[in-house]
Amino acid sequence: IFLDKTKNGDKRQVPLSSVAGKVLEDYLQSLDLTEAKEKVFPWWSGDDGDLHDTTDMLSNLYKEVFEQAGAQGLRFHDLRHEATSRLFERTKLSETEIMKITGHKSHRMMMRYANLRGSTLASALW
């Protein structure tokens, strides 16, 4: 998927897993995109100036969902941390490849998110 507008201002391509691709494909097919009122992301106007407000609004929605699920203190951004860690644990992707997926600009910043489980590391030892 090509991200033309991101929070940090960089355009980039991000690969989707086959599962994520299928979910997105099904969602797009469920929309009537011939109608001007139907948008892929109905909560965002498409204007650059609205992107920060939109991400804040979505974070607040996730906060409500997490609280209702009993996951007090969990934030939307925590999902990025979890996903980055799982990419390290469950794939053979290089650090550079993971940075391309996650959008981290520096190796140092990405490593703040890559908290690997000790049990996973131990199983890789002899």
Short mmCIF file of all heavy atoms in Angstrom, two decimals, residues 79-119:
data_model
loop_
_atom_site.label_atom_id
_atom_site.label_comp_id
_atom_site.label_asym_id
_atom_site.label_seq_id
_atom_site.Cartn_x
_atom_site.Cartn_y
_atom_site.Cartn_z
N LEU A 79 0.09 -0.37 20.26
CA LEU A 79 -0.05 -1.39 19.22
C LEU A 79 1.12 -1.36 18.25
O LEU A 79 1.54 -2.40 17.74
CB LEU A 79 -1.38 -1.21 18.47
CG LEU A 79 -2.64 -1.33 19.33
CD1 LEU A 79 -3.88 -1.06 18.48
CD2 LEU A 79 -2.72 -2.67 20.01
N ARG A 80 1.66 -0.18 18.01
CA ARG A 80 2.83 -0.06 17.14
C ARG A 80 4.03 -0.74 17.80
O ARG A 80 4.79 -1.45 17.15
CB ARG A 80 3.14 1.41 16.86
CG ARG A 80 4.30 1.60 15.93
CD ARG A 80 4.57 3.06 15.68
NE ARG A 80 5.47 3.23 14.56
CZ ARG A 80 6.22 4.30 14.39
NH1 ARG A 80 6.15 5.30 15.22
NH2 ARG A 80 7.03 4.37 13.37
N HIS A 81 4.17 -0.51 19.08
CA HIS A 81 5.25 -1.14 19.84
C HIS A 81 5.13 -2.67 19.75
O HIS A 81 6.10 -3.37 19.48
CB HIS A 81 5.15 -0.67 21.29
CG HIS A 81 6.15 -1.27 22.21
ND1 HIS A 81 7.29 -0.61 22.59
CD2 HIS A 81 6.19 -2.47 22.82
CE1 HIS A 81 7.99 -1.39 23.40
NE2 HIS A 81 7.33 -2.51 23.55
N GLU A 82 3.94 -3.17 19.97
CA GLU A 82 3.69 -4.61 19.92
C GLU A 82 3.96 -5.17 18.53
O GLU A 82 4.62 -6.21 18.37
CB GLU A 82 2.25 -4.91 20.35
CG GLU A 82 1.90 -6.37 20.37
CD GLU A 82 2.62 -7.16 21.45
OE1 GLU A 82 3.19 -6.58 22.38
OE2 GLU A 82 2.63 -8.41 21.34
N ALA A 83 3.48 -4.49 17.51
CA ALA A 83 3.67 -4.98 16.13
C ALA A 83 5.15 -5.01 15.76
O ALA A 83 5.62 -5.97 15.14
CB ALA A 83 2.90 -4.10 15.15
N THR A 84 5.88 -3.98 16.16
CA THR A 84 7.32 -3.94 15.86
C THR A 84 8.03 -5.10 16.54
O THR A 84 8.85 -5.78 15.92
CB THR A 84 7.93 -2.59 16.29
OG1 THR A 84 7.24 -1.54 15.63
CG2 THR A 84 9.40 -2.52 15.94
N SER A 85 7.70 -5.35 17.78
CA SER A 85 8.32 -6.47 18.50
C SER A 85 7.99 -7.80 17.83
O SER A 85 8.86 -8.66 17.69
CB SER A 85 7.84 -6.49 19.96
OG SER A 85 8.27 -5.34 20.63
N ARG A 86 6.76 -7.97 17.41
CA ARG A 86 6.37 -9.23 16.76
C ARG A 86 7.08 -9.39 15.40
O ARG A 86 7.41 -10.51 15.01
CB ARG A 86 4.87 -9.31 16.55
CG ARG A 86 4.01 -9.33 17.83
CD ARG A 86 4.30 -10.45 18.84
NE ARG A 86 5.50 -10.26 19.60
CZ ARG A 86 5.67 -9.46 20.67
NH1 ARG A 86 4.68 -8.75 21.12
NH2 ARG A 86 6.82 -9.38 21.28
N LEU A 87 7.31 -8.30 14.67
CA LEU A 87 8.06 -8.41 13.42
C LEU A 87 9.47 -8.94 13.68
O LEU A 87 9.99 -9.74 12.91
CB LEU A 87 8.12 -7.06 12.70
CG LEU A 87 6.83 -6.60 12.03
CD1 LEU A 87 6.97 -5.16 11.54
CD2 LEU A 87 6.47 -7.51 10.87
N PHE A 88 10.08 -8.50 14.78
CA PHE A 88 11.40 -9.01 15.14
C PHE A 88 11.33 -10.47 15.53
O PHE A 88 12.18 -11.27 15.15
CB PHE A 88 12.01 -8.19 16.29
CG PHE A 88 12.75 -6.98 15.83
CD1 PHE A 88 12.14 -5.75 15.84
CD2 PHE A 88 14.06 -7.08 15.39
CE1 PHE A 88 12.82 -4.62 15.42
CE2 PHE A 88 14.75 -5.96 14.96
CZ PHE A 88 14.13 -4.72 14.98
N GLU A 89 10.32 -10.84 16.30
CA GLU A 89 10.24 -12.19 16.83
C GLU A 89 9.79 -13.23 15.82
O GLU A 89 10.23 -14.37 15.87
CB GLU A 89 9.27 -12.23 18.02
CG GLU A 89 9.80 -11.59 19.26
CD GLU A 89 8.85 -11.73 20.43
OE1 GLU A 89 7.70 -12.21 20.25
OE2 GLU A 89 9.24 -11.35 21.54
N ARG A 90 8.89 -12.87 14.93
CA ARG A 90 8.23 -13.88 14.10
C ARG A 90 8.63 -13.87 12.63
O ARG A 90 8.08 -14.65 11.86
CB ARG A 90 6.72 -13.71 14.21
CG ARG A 90 6.24 -13.96 15.61
CD ARG A 90 4.76 -13.90 15.71
NE ARG A 90 4.34 -14.17 17.08
CZ ARG A 90 3.10 -14.09 17.50
NH1 ARG A 90 2.16 -13.74 16.67
NH2 ARG A 90 2.82 -14.35 18.75
N THR A 91 9.52 -12.97 12.26
CA THR A 91 9.94 -12.94 10.86
C THR A 91 11.46 -12.98 10.79
O THR A 91 12.15 -12.85 11.80
CB THR A 91 9.46 -11.67 10.12
OG1 THR A 91 10.21 -10.54 10.59
CG2 THR A 91 7.97 -11.43 10.33
N LYS A 92 11.96 -13.14 9.60
CA LYS A 92 13.40 -13.09 9.36
C LYS A 92 13.76 -11.78 8.66
O LYS A 92 14.80 -11.67 8.04
CB LYS A 92 13.83 -14.28 8.52
CG LYS A 92 13.66 -15.61 9.24
CD LYS A 92 14.13 -16.76 8.39
CE LYS A 92 13.77 -18.08 9.00
NZ LYS A 92 14.70 -18.57 9.96
N LEU A 93 12.87 -10.78 8.78
CA LEU A 93 13.13 -9.49 8.16
C LEU A 93 14.34 -8.82 8.82
O LEU A 93 14.55 -8.95 10.02
CB LEU A 93 11.92 -8.57 8.31
CG LEU A 93 10.66 -8.98 7.56
CD1 LEU A 93 9.48 -8.12 8.00
CD2 LEU A 93 10.87 -8.87 6.06
N SER A 94 15.11 -8.11 8.02
CA SER A 94 16.24 -7.36 8.56
C SER A 94 15.73 -6.12 9.29
O SER A 94 14.58 -5.71 9.11
CB SER A 94 17.19 -6.95 7.43
OG SER A 94 16.57 -5.94 6.63
N GLU A 95 16.61 -5.51 10.07
CA GLU A 95 16.23 -4.29 10.77
C GLU A 95 15.84 -3.19 9.78
O GLU A 95 14.87 -2.46 10.00
CB GLU A 95 17.37 -3.81 11.67
CG GLU A 95 17.61 -4.75 12.83
CD GLU A 95 18.82 -4.38 13.66
OE1 GLU A 95 19.43 -3.32 13.41
OE2 GLU A 95 19.14 -5.15 14.57
N THR A 96 16.56 -3.11 8.67
CA THR A 96 16.24 -2.10 7.65
C THR A 96 14.86 -2.36 7.06
O THR A 96 14.08 -1.42 6.86
CB THR A 96 17.31 -2.12 6.53
OG1 THR A 96 18.58 -1.86 7.11
CG2 THR A 96 17.00 -1.11 5.46
N GLU A 97 14.53 -3.61 6.80
CA GLU A 97 13.21 -3.94 6.25
C GLU A 97 12.11 -3.60 7.25
O GLU A 97 11.05 -3.07 6.87
CB GLU A 97 13.16 -5.41 5.86
CG GLU A 97 14.03 -5.74 4.67
CD GLU A 97 14.23 -7.22 4.45
OE1 GLU A 97 14.28 -8.00 5.44
OE2 GLU A 97 14.35 -7.62 3.27
N ILE A 98 12.34 -3.88 8.52
CA ILE A 98 11.34 -3.56 9.54
C ILE A 98 11.17 -2.05 9.64
O ILE A 98 10.05 -1.55 9.77
CB ILE A 98 11.71 -4.21 10.89
CG1 ILE A 98 11.57 -5.73 10.78
CG2 ILE A 98 10.83 -3.66 12.02
CD1 ILE A 98 12.04 -6.51 11.98
N MET A 99 12.25 -1.30 9.54
CA MET A 99 12.16 0.16 9.57
C MET A 99 11.32 0.68 8.40
O MET A 99 10.57 1.64 8.56
CB MET A 99 13.56 0.79 9.51
CG MET A 99 14.31 0.71 10.81
SD MET A 99 16.00 1.37 10.70
CE MET A 99 15.67 3.10 10.43
N LYS A 100 11.44 0.06 7.23
CA LYS A 100 10.64 0.47 6.07
C LYS A 100 9.15 0.23 6.34
O LYS A 100 8.30 1.01 5.91
CB LYS A 100 11.07 -0.27 4.82
CG LYS A 100 12.45 0.07 4.32
CD LYS A 100 12.53 1.47 3.80
CE LYS A 100 12.18 1.52 2.35
NZ LYS A 100 12.30 2.84 1.77
N ILE A 101 8.83 -0.83 7.03
CA ILE A 101 7.44 -1.15 7.33
C ILE A 101 6.88 -0.22 8.40
O ILE A 101 5.78 0.32 8.26
CB ILE A 101 7.30 -2.63 7.77
CG1 ILE A 101 7.61 -3.55 6.59
CG2 ILE A 101 5.91 -2.91 8.33
CD1 ILE A 101 7.75 -5.01 6.98
N THR A 102 7.64 -0.02 9.46
CA THR A 102 7.13 0.74 10.60
C THR A 102 7.24 2.25 10.41
O THR A 102 6.56 3.00 11.10
CB THR A 102 7.88 0.37 11.90
OG1 THR A 102 9.27 0.70 11.75
CG2 THR A 102 7.71 -1.10 12.23
N GLY A 103 8.12 2.67 9.52
CA GLY A 103 8.27 4.11 9.28
C GLY A 103 9.24 4.79 10.21
O GLY A 103 9.33 6.02 10.22
N HIS A 104 9.98 4.02 11.00
CA HIS A 104 10.98 4.64 11.87
C HIS A 104 12.09 5.23 11.01
O HIS A 104 12.55 4.63 10.06
CB HIS A 104 11.57 3.60 12.83
CG HIS A 104 10.62 3.18 13.88
ND1 HIS A 104 9.95 1.98 13.85
CD2 HIS A 104 10.19 3.81 15.00
CE1 HIS A 104 9.17 1.88 14.90
NE2 HIS A 104 9.30 2.99 15.62
N LYS A 105 12.53 6.43 11.40
CA LYS A 105 13.56 7.13 10.62
C LYS A 105 14.97 6.77 11.09
O LYS A 105 15.92 6.95 10.34
CB LYS A 105 13.36 8.63 10.70
CG LYS A 105 12.16 9.10 9.93
CD LYS A 105 12.13 10.61 9.88
CE LYS A 105 11.09 11.06 8.87
NZ LYS A 105 11.23 12.46 8.56
N SER A 106 15.10 6.30 12.32
CA SER A 106 16.43 5.97 12.81
C SER A 106 16.40 4.59 13.47
O SER A 106 15.38 4.16 14.02
CB SER A 106 16.92 7.00 13.83
OG SER A 106 16.21 6.87 15.05
N HIS A 107 17.54 3.93 13.38
CA HIS A 107 17.68 2.62 14.02
C HIS A 107 17.48 2.74 15.52
O HIS A 107 16.82 1.90 16.14
CB HIS A 107 19.09 2.07 13.70
CG HIS A 107 19.34 0.73 14.30
ND1 HIS A 107 19.94 0.57 15.52
CD2 HIS A 107 19.05 -0.50 13.85
CE1 HIS A 107 20.02 -0.71 15.80
NE2 HIS A 107 19.49 -1.38 14.81
N ARG A 108 18.01 3.80 16.11
CA ARG A 108 17.89 3.99 17.56
C ARG A 108 16.43 4.09 17.99
O ARG A 108 16.02 3.49 18.98
CB ARG A 108 18.64 5.26 17.95
CG ARG A 108 18.59 5.54 19.42
CD ARG A 108 19.37 6.77 19.76
NE ARG A 108 19.22 7.05 21.18
CZ ARG A 108 19.72 8.07 21.78
NH1 ARG A 108 20.44 8.95 21.11
NH2 ARG A 108 19.54 8.27 23.07
N MET A 109 15.63 4.86 17.25
CA MET A 109 14.22 5.01 17.61
C MET A 109 13.48 3.68 17.46
O MET A 109 12.68 3.31 18.31
CB MET A 109 13.57 6.08 16.74
CG MET A 109 12.13 6.36 17.11
SD MET A 109 11.87 6.89 18.81
CE MET A 109 12.54 8.52 18.75
N MET A 110 13.78 2.94 16.39
CA MET A 110 13.10 1.67 16.19
C MET A 110 13.43 0.70 17.33
O MET A 110 12.56 -0.03 17.79
CB MET A 110 13.49 1.04 14.86
CG MET A 110 12.79 -0.29 14.62
SD MET A 110 13.40 -1.19 13.21
CE MET A 110 15.10 -1.39 13.60
N MET A 111 14.66 0.70 17.79
CA MET A 111 15.06 -0.24 18.83
C MET A 111 14.36 0.05 20.15
O MET A 111 14.26 -0.84 21.00
CB MET A 111 16.58 -0.24 19.00
CG MET A 111 17.32 -0.78 17.77
SD MET A 111 16.68 -2.36 17.15
CE MET A 111 17.15 -3.45 18.47
N ARG A 112 13.84 1.25 20.33
CA ARG A 112 13.05 1.54 21.53
C ARG A 112 11.77 0.72 21.54
O ARG A 112 11.18 0.47 22.59
CB ARG A 112 12.71 3.02 21.60
CG ARG A 112 13.92 3.90 21.87
CD ARG A 112 13.57 5.36 21.87
NE ARG A 112 12.54 5.65 22.87
CZ ARG A 112 11.95 6.82 22.98
NH1 ARG A 112 12.25 7.80 22.15
NH2 ARG A 112 11.03 7.02 23.90
N TYR A 113 11.32 0.33 20.36
CA TYR A 113 10.07 -0.42 20.23
C TYR A 113 10.30 -1.93 20.20
O TYR A 113 9.38 -2.69 20.38
CB TYR A 113 9.34 -0.03 18.94
CG TYR A 113 8.77 1.35 18.99
CD1 TYR A 113 9.53 2.46 18.66
CD2 TYR A 113 7.46 1.54 19.39
CE1 TYR A 113 9.00 3.72 18.70
CE2 TYR A 113 6.91 2.81 19.44
CZ TYR A 113 7.70 3.89 19.10
OH TYR A 113 7.17 5.14 19.16
N ALA A 114 11.51 -2.35 19.95
CA ALA A 114 11.78 -3.77 19.73
C ALA A 114 12.15 -4.46 21.03
O ALA A 114 13.25 -4.96 21.19
CB ALA A 114 12.89 -3.92 18.70
N ASN A 115 11.23 -4.49 21.98
CA ASN A 115 11.47 -5.19 23.24
C ASN A 115 11.12 -6.66 23.05
O ASN A 115 9.95 -7.04 23.05
CB ASN A 115 10.61 -4.59 24.36
CG ASN A 115 11.03 -3.19 24.69
OD1 ASN A 115 12.17 -2.81 24.45
ND2 ASN A 115 10.13 -2.41 25.21
N LEU A 116 12.14 -7.44 22.87
CA LEU A 116 11.93 -8.86 22.62
C LEU A 116 11.76 -9.60 23.94
O LEU A 116 12.37 -9.26 24.95
CB LEU A 116 13.12 -9.42 21.85
CG LEU A 116 13.43 -8.68 20.54
CD1 LEU A 116 14.64 -9.30 19.88
CD2 LEU A 116 12.24 -8.70 19.61
N ARG A 117 10.94 -10.63 23.91
CA ARG A 117 10.72 -11.43 25.11
C ARG A 117 11.94 -12.30 25.38
O ARG A 117 12.49 -12.93 24.48
CB ARG A 117 9.50 -12.32 24.91
CG ARG A 117 8.22 -11.54 24.82
CD ARG A 117 7.03 -12.47 24.78
NE ARG A 117 5.83 -11.67 24.71
CZ ARG A 117 4.88 -11.84 23.79
NH1 ARG A 117 4.99 -12.78 22.90
NH2 ARG A 117 3.83 -11.08 23.79
N GLY A 118 12.33 -12.36 26.64
CA GLY A 118 13.48 -13.18 27.02
C GLY A 118 13.29 -14.63 26.65
O GLY A 118 14.23 -15.31 26.23
N SER A 119 12.06 -15.14 26.78
CA SER A 119 11.80 -16.54 26.46
C SER A 119 12.01 -16.81 24.97
O SER A 119 12.47 -17.89 24.59
CB SER A 119 10.38 -16.94 26.88
OG SER A 119 9.43 -16.11 26.22
#
